[in-house]
Amino acid sequence: MRILVVGGAGTIGKRLVPELRSRGHEVVVAARASGEVRVDLAEPETIAAMYREVGAVDAVVSIAAHGALDEFAKLTSAELHENMRAKFYGQVELVLQGQHHAADGASFTLTSGIFADEAWPHVTGGGVISGALHSFVLSAAIELPRGMRVNAVSPTMVGDSADEFGGQFPGMRPIPMDELVRHYLDCVETDGTGTVVRAYA
């Protein structure tokens, strides 16, 4: 398959992209500052340009955007909206625009997160974004044309980021990277759709 990985140079991409290539897939990496193609999920016009440049693909995997931490006592709706620009609206744009560019039967795999299901301090935005992504996947799965599929992988703390982020989320157990990569592979290579894969350790 020809697979577009958005954010493929990041923590998950550094493990996922080589694994996809080792399995015989052609992978195109898109990111803001690296990879073969440039894209900024907060800017819809760059998503359109990316699809025009890349052409038809059999799968799109989004592992690019991250939600910002917040402080509830000072949180505003404007800050929530800004937080959603890339991780929610940007990933939604990948599907809404991608349905007109991707090949018949193509799949879209988005990335949400554990805060949709488990409350933690300072991640109200993260919870809202991930919950919205889950609802979007359920709806998009029954309306995508030409046999296309959409799923979301919802990870807890990523194993390779535990040293960096573990102090912000004490007690949260990270998911091993090899296990997380398998979830993305399953979304790309199997026939499921409308599924939220809760990759919680």
Side-chain angles (χ1 to χ4, degrees), residues 3-20 27-32 34 39 41 50 59-67 86-87 90-92 94 108-113 133 151-155 158 161 177 180-185 187-188:
I3 302 172
L4 173 63
V5 180
V6 181
T11 301
I12 299 173
K14 289 176 182 177
R15 297 289 198 96
L16 178 60
V17 169
E19 183 63 24
L20 288 168
V27 180
V28 179
V29 174
R32 282 186 298 179
S34 60
V39 66
L41 291 187
M50 174 191 70
V60 178
V61 179
S62 174
I63 47 177
H66 302 279
K87 189 165 177 67
Q91 292 195 92
V92 166
L94 287 175
F108 299 89
T109 303
L110 310 182
T111 299
S112 57
L133 282 169
N151 299 286
V153 176
S154 180
V158 176
S161 298
M177 285 300 299
L180 181 58
V181 165
R182 282 199 303 272
H183 289 308
Y184 283 99
L185 293 173
C187 288
V188 170

Side-chain angles (χ1 to χ4, degrees), residues 24-180:
H25 300 300
E26 177 189 352
V27 180
V28 179
V29 174
R32 282 186 298 179
S34 60
E36 294 93 340
V37 183
R38 295 291 177 267
V39 66
D40 182 348
L41 291 187
E43 303 295 339
E45 63 273 15
T46 72
I47 296 173
M50 174 191 70
Y51 277 127
R52 288 194 299 268
E53 181 175 351
V54 172
V57 293
D58 302 297
V60 178
V61 179
S62 174
I63 47 177
H66 302 279
L69 295 178
D70 50 52
E71 185 176 347
F72 191 83
K74 299 178 181 178
L75 186 62
T76 66
S77 59
E79 289 170 336
L80 276 176
H81 178 74
E82 181 63 25
N83 201 1
M84 296 178 78
R85 284 182 64 207
K87 189 165 177 67
F88 176 67
Y89 292 116
Q91 292 195 92
V92 166
E93 282 285 347
L94 287 175
V95 179
L96 295 179
Q97 294 194 38
Q99 67 180 319
H100 305 297
H101 295 274
D104 290 355
S107 69
F108 299 89
T109 303
L110 310 182
T111 299
S112 57
I114 190 172
F115 304 127
D117 297 315
E118 295 189 23
W120 288 76
H122 310 302
V123 287
T124 297
V128 169
I129 289 164
S130 293
L133 282 169
H134 294 178
S135 295
F136 174 77
V137 164
L138 295 178
S139 295
I142 64 172
E143 298 211 58
L144 277 169
R146 297 185 285 118
M148 294 178 175
R149 303 183 295 108
V150 60
N151 299 286
V153 176
S154 180
T156 182
M157 189 188 316
V158 176
D160 285 6
S161 298
D163 289 344
E164 182 178 357
F165 295 108
Q168 296 174 355
F169 306 106
M172 181 182 290
R173 292 187 299 167
I175 182 170
M177 285 300 299
D178 57 348
E179 181 178 341
L180 181 58

